[in-house]
């Protein structure tokens, strides 16, 4: 029910020309929950996120956030892509507050709002540095902070960690889990990385291409009933391997 869910996608359908991409998409997310969308390329994951963000119009359906209809409306959720998209000639602070400035917010007040969060995002002391001076992981943290400042309601993440090396990615996973617990963030993540989905998520939604399904692209929901934040040690447990196998067999 809409009134019981912080976020709700209801009966969303989308076609491009004669090609149907999304069919009967229905799911909800509770406040503070982490949900991942896992599926092969072409299963409609990015199209779905574009609809949620108000960048794409569905043929049918509704999207609700905290009881408010946000269909075809931008600015209600945060959206982070795979690349950090930081401007090289702006300082990290200037990059982080850019969405607020674009919204017409006062620049000095935007700085005052952002600076206290640099510590939470592991960027303390980096305010006046430039993207070229930061590691890949630090640049992703800056991009996540910028995403968070744009809207704290719902974070849409489209494979934000996929370009990082394995060690940096593992560090980012642990950092992000601790950060969302501290700030109470609600997250919807697209990923092709099954291990990433199992480590981070409360629930995993399995998506398939429309031609491979009967009723909906979302063919299965897998619950990860283990407390967060989780560390890399969880990845070596029997429970983790069983969940990984379950996701793999559902794809």
């Amino acid at each position: 029910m809409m009134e019981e869910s912080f976020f709700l996608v209801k009966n969303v359908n989308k076609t491009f020309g004669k090609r149907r991409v999304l069919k009967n998409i229905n799911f909800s997310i509770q406040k503070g929950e982490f949900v991942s969308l896992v599926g092969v390329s072409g299963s409609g994951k990015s199209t779905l996120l574009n609809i949620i963000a108000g960048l794409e119009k569905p043929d049918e359906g509704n999207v609700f956030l905290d009881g408010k209809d946000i269909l075809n409306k931008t600015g209600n959720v945060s959206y982070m892509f795979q690349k950090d998209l930081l401007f090289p000639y702006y300082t990290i602070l200037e990059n982080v507050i850019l969405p607020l400035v674009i919204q017409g917010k006062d620049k000095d007040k935007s700085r005052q709002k952002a600076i206290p969060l640099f510590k939470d995002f592991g960027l303390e002391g980096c305010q006046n540095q430039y993207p070229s001076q930061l590691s890949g992981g630090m640049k992703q943290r800056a991009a996540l902070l910028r995403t968070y400042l744009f809207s704290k309601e719902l974070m849409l993440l489209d494979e934000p960690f996929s370009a990082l090396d394995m060690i940096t990615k593992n560090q980012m996973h642990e950092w992000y889990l601790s950060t969302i617990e501290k700030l109470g963030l609600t997250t919807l993540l697209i990923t092709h990385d099954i291990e990433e989905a199992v480590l981070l998520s409360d629930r995993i939604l399995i998506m398939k291409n429309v031609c491979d399904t009967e009723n909906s692209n979302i063919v299965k929901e897998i619950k990860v009933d283990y407390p967060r934040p989780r560390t890399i040690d969880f990845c070596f447990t029997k429970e983790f391997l069983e969940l990984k196998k379950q996701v793999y067999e559902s794809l």
Side-chain angles (χ1 to χ4, degrees):
M1 296 295 290
M2 184 179 68
E3 61 271 19
E4 297 175 350
S5 301
F6 174 65
F7 174 72
L8 177 69
V9 174
K10 187 175 181 180
N11 300 326
V12 165
N13 293 272
K14 178 65 180 178
T15 57
F16 289 106
K18 295 182 179 180
R19 185 170 68 92
R20 194 168 190 180
V21 178
L22 296 176
K23 179 169 65 175
N24 300 330
I25 302 296
N26 291 276
F27 69 95
S28 62
I29 303 177
Q30 300 303 323
K31 195 171 183 63
E33 195 175 19
F34 195 122
V35 174
S36 289
L37 294 169
V38 178
V40 298
S41 297
S43 57
K45 302 183 300 298
S46 292
T47 299
L48 177 57
L49 255 63
N50 287 337
I51 289 172
I52 293 169
L55 302 175
E56 193 79 55
K57 184 178 180 180
D59 302 327
E60 300 174 90
N62 296 96
V63 180
F64 298 96
L65 180 66
D66 206 14
K68 181 176 71 172
D69 185 355
I70 63 169
L71 188 67
N72 303 324
K73 300 172 185 175
T74 59
N76 291 284
V77 300
S78 298
Y79 196 170
M80 180 175 167
F81 300 93
Q82 181 176 344
K83 295 183 178 180
D84 59 68
L85 300 178
L86 299 174
F87 287 90
Y89 300 110
Y90 283 11
T91 66
I92 299 303
L93 179 57
E94 289 170 335
N95 268 288
V96 161
I97 67 170
L98 187 59
L100 301 178
V101 175
I102 291 173
Q103 289 176 338
K105 304 289 178 61
D106 180 81
K107 188 175 287 189
D108 288 335
K109 290 183 178 178
S110 297
R111 289 193 187 101
Q112 292 169 13
K113 183 178 181 180
I115 288 172
L117 291 166
F118 269 70
K119 183 176 181 180
D120 287 330
F121 280 76
L123 292 166
E124 195 171 23
C126 297
Q127 292 92 324
N128 297 317
Q129 292 184 310
Y130 291 87
S132 62
Q133 296 175 281
L134 301 186
S135 66
M138 294 291 276
K139 284 190 280 191
Q140 289 301 90
R141 292 187 187 206
L144 282 163
L145 174 52
R146 181 181 58 193
T147 304
Y148 172 73
L149 282 170
F150 182 74
S151 172
K152 302 174 185 177
E153 297 296 322
L154 176 66
M155 301 275 280
L156 305 180
L157 307 180
D158 193 347
E159 299 196 80
F161 311 122
S162 61
L164 301 175
D165 64 83
M166 185 180 68
I167 294 174
T168 304
K169 181 188 285 192
N170 289 338
Q171 292 171 343
M172 287 293 293
H173 286 161
E174 292 197 19
W175 166 79
Y176 189 71
L177 283 174
S178 65
T179 300
I180 62 176
E181 291 296 316
K182 186 185 302 181
L183 300 178
L185 300 182
T186 307
T187 304
L188 178 61
L189 169 75
I190 284 179
T191 182
H192 289 95
D193 187 333
I194 295 175
E195 291 191 0
E196 179 174 77
V198 175
L199 177 65
L200 298 177
S201 308
D202 297 304
R203 286 184 293 131
I204 300 169
L205 304 179
I206 306 298
M207 290 188 70
K208 290 191 175 182
N209 295 327
V210 167
C211 58
D212 296 327
T213 66
E214 293 183 6
N215 300 314
S216 172
N217 298 67
I218 297 177
V219 297
K220 190 169 185 177
E221 174 185 297
I222 297 172
K223 293 184 178 180
V224 185
D225 288 326
Y226 298 93
R228 289 195 281 110
R230 307 178 192 119
T231 67
I232 192 66
D233 292 339
F234 179 61
C235 297
F236 300 98
T237 64
K238 177 183 177 182
E239 292 78 9
F240 180 89
L241 293 175
E242 289 176 348
L243 284 164
K244 182 180 175 181
K245 182 172 183 286
Q246 189 177 350
V247 173
Y248 181 79
E249 290 176 344
S250 301
L251 291 170

